[in-house]
């Protein structure tokens, strides 16, 4: 099963938020994340809250859209009762799992519920994740007609033996085809890649980069493989069936990706994300890094509004029982104190290209800046202009940079 939820405090059944969540709400964007927790197969490296058909126990995949719509209605009532200002939704993101295992009509119904509850801001970004083998040209046209503006394909690799190790089921030759179909439907396209899979060579990774760039996506994400405790891959590594990922090789792969993407006209805007220009950044993910508000719909989904964070019960059956009863599906929540919010702000803003203003750091953190420049981890010119911005070396060692900025050395 996926990783455990945090503990936190009990969440009220009515979902009412404390008054502190209202502070500055009008200055924060509001987004909605819709979690679709279904997969055809469970990939060995994945610890997301997902379920195959045999794991659902007492709930039907075909009923899920109705459950999500019920939580959207609950969320709208809870936010209004909490006194939060009515804000149109700036970004909607359907993730999983594999959202496109549901028919486009179900995904459209979920989006329609969000639109009816809050309205969509002009030019709102509406994204769904998709596996390359979970959509065809008609599906993508129907998603565009329903109001989706963007699709993020889980490409991961173009190399069959790498996909096999990851237990991904799609044919890599299908990638250019689905990208072409998405463009014909008028959708922006993002490709997600994973590097550092056991057995993947630098030339394998270069082949995946070449294949992705040949598709000319608007946006590209590249994540190093992290072996999560409790996953099948973790057990395979522990038993010696597959080798551990090589961190030095992963660093070489990241540097290769950055060089190849930059040469092709892509700019990094977050440690693991590149886009053709500012208009093609993932605005939904940026809202997380910038500390804006979002409500997470679905089993195991996390939400954040004004320094209050909560997370839903994990199993779709328990989730359905609560939302159909008109109760909050939250399993627990926490109100972040000032110091926790400061630490998280440093952690998140340091990862993006614009960085964090030096004025937001503690005196101890500001004293680290000269040393970070000398170590080649942050940009000296940006620091003179008042911002902490990571260099390429700094992106490879981002966690260490954050520890120093928080004076945790």
């Amino acid at each position: 099963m996926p990783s455990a939820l945090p503990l936190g405090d009990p969440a009220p059944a009515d979902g009412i938020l404390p008054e502190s969540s209202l502070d500055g709400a009008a200055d924060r964007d509001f987004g909605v994340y819709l979690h679709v927790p279904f997969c055809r197969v469970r990939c060995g490296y994945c610890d997301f809250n997902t379920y195959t058909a045999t794991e659902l126990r007492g709930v039907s995949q075909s009923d899920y859209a109705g459950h999500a719509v019920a939580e959207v209605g609950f969320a709208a009532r809870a936010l209004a009762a909490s006194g939060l200002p009515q804000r149109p939704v700036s970004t909607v993101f359907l993730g999983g799992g594999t959202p496109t295992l549901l028919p486009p009509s179900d995904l459209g119904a979920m989006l329609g519920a969000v639109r009816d509850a809050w309205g969509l801001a002009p030019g709102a970004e509406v994204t769904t994740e998709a596996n390359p083998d979970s959509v065809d040209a008609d599906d993508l046209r129907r998603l565009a007609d329903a109001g989706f503006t963007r699709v993020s394909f889980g490409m991961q690799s173009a190399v069959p033996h790498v996909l096999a190790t990851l237990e991904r089921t799609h044919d890599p030759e299908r990638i250019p085809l689905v990208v072409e179909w998405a463009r014909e439907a008028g959708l922006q396209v993002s490709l997600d890649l994973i590097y550092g899979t056991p057995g993947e060579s630098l030339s394998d990774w270069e082949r995946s980069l070449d294949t992705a760039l040949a598709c000319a996506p608007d946006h590209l994400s590249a994540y190093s493989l992290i072996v999560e405790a409790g996953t099948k891959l973790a057990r395979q590594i522990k038993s010696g069936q597959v080798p551990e990922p090589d961190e030095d090789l992963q660093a070489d792969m990241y540097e290769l990706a950055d060089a190849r993407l930059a040469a092709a006209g892509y700019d990094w805007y977050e440690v693991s994300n590149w886009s053709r220009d500012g208009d093609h950044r993932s605005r939904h993910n940026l809202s997380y890094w910038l500390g804006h508000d979002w409500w997470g719909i679905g089993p195991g989904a996390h939400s954040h509004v004004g320094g209050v964070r909560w997370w839903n019960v994990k199993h779709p059956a328990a989730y359905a029982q609560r939302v159909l009863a008109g109760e909050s599906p939250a399993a627990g929540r926490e109100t972040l104190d000032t110091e926790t919010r400061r630490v998280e702000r440093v952690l998140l803003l340091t990862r993006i290209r614009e960085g964090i203003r030096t004025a937001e750091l503690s005196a101890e953190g500001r004293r680290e800046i000269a040393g970070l420049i000398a170590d080649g981890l942050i940009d000296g010119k940006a620091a003179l202009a008042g911002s902490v911005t990571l260099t390429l070396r700094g992106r490879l060692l981002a966690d260490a940079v954050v520890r120093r900025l928080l004076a945790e050395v």
Side-chain angles (χ1 to χ4, degrees):
M1 281 293 105
S3 57
L5 292 171
L7 297 176
D9 300 317
D14 60 10
I16 301 298
L17 299 173
E19 288 187 13
S20 62
S21 65
L22 278 65
D23 294 343
D27 299 324
R28 298 190 300 268
D29 288 345
F30 178 55
V32 175
Y33 172 76
L34 292 139
H35 186 65
V36 180
F38 309 122
C39 285
R40 287 199 180 101
V41 298
R42 182 182 303 286
C43 299
Y45 65 93
C46 180
D47 78 334
F48 293 166
N49 189 44
T50 62
Y51 301 83
T52 60
T54 60
E55 298 169 329
L56 287 178
R57 301 193 315 273
V59 65
S60 171
Q61 185 172 302
S62 62
D63 294 332
Y64 181 73
H67 303 158
V69 167
E71 190 185 355
V72 170
F74 174 87
R77 294 189 296 273
L79 289 175
S82 300
L84 282 150
Q86 177 78 8
R87 290 170 291 173
V89 174
S90 299
T91 62
V92 182
F93 194 101
L94 275 71
T98 308
T100 44
L101 283 184
L102 298 182
S105 57
D106 282 6
L107 303 187
M110 293 159 68
L111 175 58
V114 172
R115 185 187 293 112
D116 292 343
W118 296 287
L120 297 180
E125 177 191 271
V126 182
T127 304
T128 184
E129 293 181 332
N131 284 349
D133 56 358
S134 68
V135 289
D136 59 24
D138 182 61
D139 293 329
L140 293 164
R141 282 193 298 269
R142 292 172 64 191
L143 288 169
D145 290 343
F148 287 82
T149 64
R150 188 172 178 273
V151 61
S152 179
F153 289 117
M155 174 181 170
Q156 316 310 0
S157 175
V159 181
H161 79 83
V162 175
L163 291 171
T165 300
L166 294 172
E167 298 186 283
R168 304 292 292 189
T169 58
H170 65 269
D171 182 345
E173 294 186 4
R174 189 175 173 85
I175 299 297
L177 193 58
V178 294
V179 170
E180 181 182 354
W181 290 339
R183 291 201 182 286
E184 289 174 350
L187 297 167
Q188 291 185 23
V189 175
S190 178
L191 295 178
D192 282 1
L193 297 173
I194 291 177
Y195 61 91
T197 299
E200 180 181 30
S201 67
L202 193 61
S203 62
D204 289 334
W205 174 235
E206 186 170 25
R207 177 177 167 187
S208 293
L209 288 170
D210 288 344
T211 301
L213 289 172
C215 295
D218 303 295
H219 180 279
L220 195 145
S221 300
Y223 300 103
S224 65
L225 179 69
I226 297 174
V227 180
E228 302 287 358
T231 60
K232 179 180 177 181
L233 180 60
R235 293 191 295 273
Q236 289 174 320
I237 290 173
K238 185 176 181 180
S239 67
Q241 296 177 59
V242 296
E244 289 190 45
D246 183 327
E247 292 185 358
D248 290 336
L249 178 58
Q250 286 184 326
D252 291 341
M253 289 175 167
Y254 184 89
E255 291 179 334
L256 177 63
D258 189 67
R260 296 298 291 273
L261 290 168
Y266 294 82
D267 290 325
W268 81 276
Y269 70 95
E270 191 275 339
V271 168
S272 300
N273 290 272
W274 292 258
S275 65
R276 284 196 172 280
D277 51 50
D279 291 338
H280 292 100
R281 293 180 173 188
S282 171
R283 286 158 44 201
H284 186 84
N285 287 341
L286 273 171
S287 73
Y288 295 156
W289 298 316
L290 293 171
H292 292 308
D293 293 344
W294 73 90
W295 192 296
I297 304 290
H302 286 232
S303 304
H304 171 268
V305 176
V308 182
R309 185 160 54 210
W310 66 96
W311 44 92
N312 288 350
V313 294
K314 289 173 59 178
H315 197 277
Y319 170 78
Q321 183 178 13
R322 292 205 189 184
V323 296
L324 294 179
E327 299 178 358
S328 169
R333 84 177 188 188
E334 59 182 344
T335 300
L336 307 179
D337 60 31
T338 300
E339 177 61 13
T340 300
R341 295 183 75 175
R342 182 189 76 85
V343 168
E344 291 193 358
R345 186 166 174 82
V346 173
L347 172 68
L348 295 172
L349 289 183
T350 300
R351 294 183 63 86
I352 65 175
R353 189 181 191 101
E354 289 75 13
I356 186 168
R357 301 294 296 174
T358 54
E360 294 192 52
L361 300 173
S362 66
E364 293 84 357
R366 290 195 295 272
R367 282 197 287 269
E368 290 292 324
I369 290 176
L372 290 167
I373 295 171
D375 292 340
L377 298 173
I378 66 173
D379 184 89
K381 290 183 179 179
L384 287 174
S387 293
V388 173
T389 301
L390 297 174
T391 62
L392 174 58
R393 173 175 161 78
R395 281 182 269 157
L396 288 167
L397 299 170
D399 290 346
V401 173
V402 169
R403 287 194 295 271
R404 290 174 64 174
L405 293 175
L406 293 172
E408 297 177 4
V409 293

